[in-house]
Amino acid sequence: MPPFFFPVIIIITTFSIFHASFSSPYGNASYHIDCGGSANTTDPDTNTTWLSDRFFSGGASAVVSEPLRFRLPGEKTLRSFPPLSYGKKNCYTVPGLPEGRYFIRTFTVYDNYDGKDQSPSFDASVEGTLVFSWRSPWPEDVSRNGAYSDLFAFIEDGEADVCLYSVATDVPVISSLSVIQVDPLSYDAASTGNNSILVNYGRLDCGSDQWGPGFSNESDYFGRSWVSDSDFRSLVTQDFINPISNGNNISGANQAPNYFPMKLYQSAVSVHQGSVDYELTLDAKLDYLLWFHFAEIDSSIDGAGKRVFNVTVNGEIVTQIDIYKAVGSFAAYDWHYLVKNLSDNVLSVSLVPLVGVPLISGLEIYAVIPVDLPTDHQQVIAMEALKESLRVPDRMGWNGDPCAPTEWDAWEGVTCSLNKNGTSRIIHQIDLGSQGLKGSISYKIGLLTNLQSLNLSSNSLEGTIPPGLGLNSIVELDLSNNQISGSIPDSLTSSTLELVLLNNNLLEGRVPGDLYTISVRGGAVDLSGNKGLCGGPSLSGCSIDGGLSSGGKVGIGLSSVIAFVLLLVFLYAWYIRRKRNNYEFGFPQDLMGKFTHYIRYMIQTNHIHSRHSMMYFTRAKLQNLICSCLATFVPPLQ
């Protein structure tokens, strides 16, 4: 999907001093975060609790330049994310969410909070998918008064990621964030699917002023705001518009799965003559879900066939509407239509009369944005563990999904690609050389099964080399110029490795013999500057005493015990044989010398060896050793 810009005139709406309830009739999972706020607050009109600022990855809190013009605390404060301090990508990660469909709503305001008189350019994503684009300069009323934007998304991993991306060196801002669980079947989810995000491009109440959260204290269960359709009617229609309103109850309103409010259907627009026409400026090359709302609130229409009209989209007839025939009078009737791959940036909607004059109560427009491919879940776990263990600084922006959205680069120093099935993204390169890292390498790096290149050189890393590193696809490994200790794991003898740079560390112990086969295959290995290593070219030999690790010494001690046991076995066998055959049988004078030579051979050929100070001497090897010695030194018993 190409980059796109959401026109401010559609998704941005003018600020008002009232606010409405955010309570949802479905589920109990909801968060309302006052971004930049220092304490929990409760809206006395709606009893909505706003949480103090939390769940953010970084940034700083601030207050708008004219806070007295705003009524709600969440509209006076904001959180900003200077990219030089916190990186280009910062996120709110809201936890504890059951799998399901969610309504996500943000309020954004600039109001010259920083005194620079320059509204910022930045992008916003939800669950790794780009959804909003803000570009400077904002319209003056939006910059000063703020704007609400919303969407519907499916969340399956237990947390909602809402991330902001700096454009150039601009500072992203956000004032409030609401995440509300809604009915999983809302807005025809069966058709649009959980693999799409519905981004609101306009929610019009025909014949009424703006209302709902952010505009008035009239409620919408989902927290949706509705604006007047007057700014979106064509100039031809304006001259013939006939607004209609009726306070009667409307059956079918506030019903599952969408819970459209009754107020929406108690007003409508019709015309004295001609058609009702709307022109909407949208982004081309996207799909759009149009949701039409009707109710026959004119009591003079008392039968089917008295008001009939066609709905046309970009000049094409898409359906014929007879409200009374469908549901009768004073009843909600909804119908939706999907526009595929809009070819132009203007979408025209017309209600063309067939009998009588057309009538409409509301119209919603949603861009259907395909969910961007996420990073493989296991690799996300690995990258989050690495972020923690390496102590990656905030300025690198390691927040949210490591590889998504595709419109933005992955985490700084990280390169991603598609997996073989094209179902997720995977990490294939990490380059964090000379970044001042002072942590260690998490053992979970072994979950990066597609990692081909790892460069952590010239930092101050400590700890050991994880034993799983190199077992999979890694080709180039550079851990040089750190303070890594311990032994070199056998996993680094992988046949895929072509470059291993471990020089200038604190490594010790015997070098795995197969490691140098990398050089034979035309690759390169550098182990210089590790005084504790032995057993390789240009390294000291591994002596029985000083050259062995503590695990090796344990191995020698165990070998001595084995030798003693074997001696007892031999003596017993000699005694039994002599007693049975009553003849002299001399004890071989060089038995112990031969046995000592045998044990030394076993150690040098890695039959007895150490790894991470652990002794690997299996029962099978012990049995083989005993049998070999008996066969060598004890003649067959008669």
Side-chain angles (χ1 to χ4, degrees), residues 89 126-129 154 156-157 161 194-195 370-381 400-406 410 416-419 421-427:
K89 178 181 180 180
V126 169
E127 295 296 280
T129 300
F154 186 81
E156 60 181 349
D157 60 358
D161 288 328
N194 293 331
N195 293 321
V371 172
D372 219 335
L373 288 178
T375 305
D376 177 84
H377 181 63
Q378 290 298 309
Q379 301 208 3
V380 171
I381 293 174
D401 189 297
C403 299
T406 54
C416 304
S417 61
L418 287 176
N419 66 359
N421 299 326
T423 56
S424 64
R425 289 189 168 82
I426 51 179
I427 313 295

Side-chain angles (χ1 to χ4, degrees), residues 359-516:
L359 176 146
I360 184 171
S361 296
L363 174 62
E364 296 177 83
I365 308 98
Y366 294 95
V368 183
I369 308 299
V371 172
D372 219 335
L373 288 178
T375 305
D376 177 84
H377 181 63
Q378 290 298 309
Q379 301 208 3
V380 171
I381 293 174
M383 294 302 290
E384 290 176 344
L386 274 179
K387 175 185 175 181
E388 184 73 20
S389 69
L390 294 175
R391 303 178 194 171
V392 176
D394 290 341
R395 59 177 171 77
M396 299 190 71
W398 276 35
N399 303 302
D401 189 297
C403 299
T406 54
E407 288 83 2
W408 282 88
D409 294 334
W411 288 1
E412 184 175 341
V414 177
T415 305
C416 304
S417 61
L418 287 176
N419 66 359
K420 292 182 180 179
N421 299 326
T423 56
S424 64
R425 289 189 168 82
I426 51 179
I427 313 295
H428 76 260
Q429 181 175 335
I430 299 176
D431 186 354
L432 297 179
S434 303
Q435 292 296 329
L437 306 178
K438 298 182 179 180
S440 60
I441 306 173
S442 170
Y443 74 92
K444 289 186 179 180
I445 195 171
L447 296 175
L448 301 180
T449 56
N450 308 97
L451 185 65
Q452 296 182 11
S453 177
L454 176 63
N455 177 16
L456 299 176
S457 63
S458 301
N459 288 292
S460 299
L461 298 180
E462 299 179 342
T464 60
I465 300 175
L469 184 60
L471 284 176
N472 299 295
S473 58
I474 194 164
V475 177
E476 298 180 352
L477 175 65
D478 187 355
L479 303 180
S480 60
N481 301 299
N482 280 287
Q483 300 172 29
I484 299 173
S485 59
S487 59
I488 299 176
D490 290 340
S491 61
L492 293 192
T493 61
S494 167
S495 61
T496 63
L497 275 165
E498 298 177 1
L499 177 69
V500 177
L501 303 179
L502 303 178
N503 50 295
N504 300 320
N505 276 288
L506 304 176
L507 297 170
E508 62 180 0
R510 179 180 296 276
V511 176
D514 292 340
L515 183 62
Y516 288 101

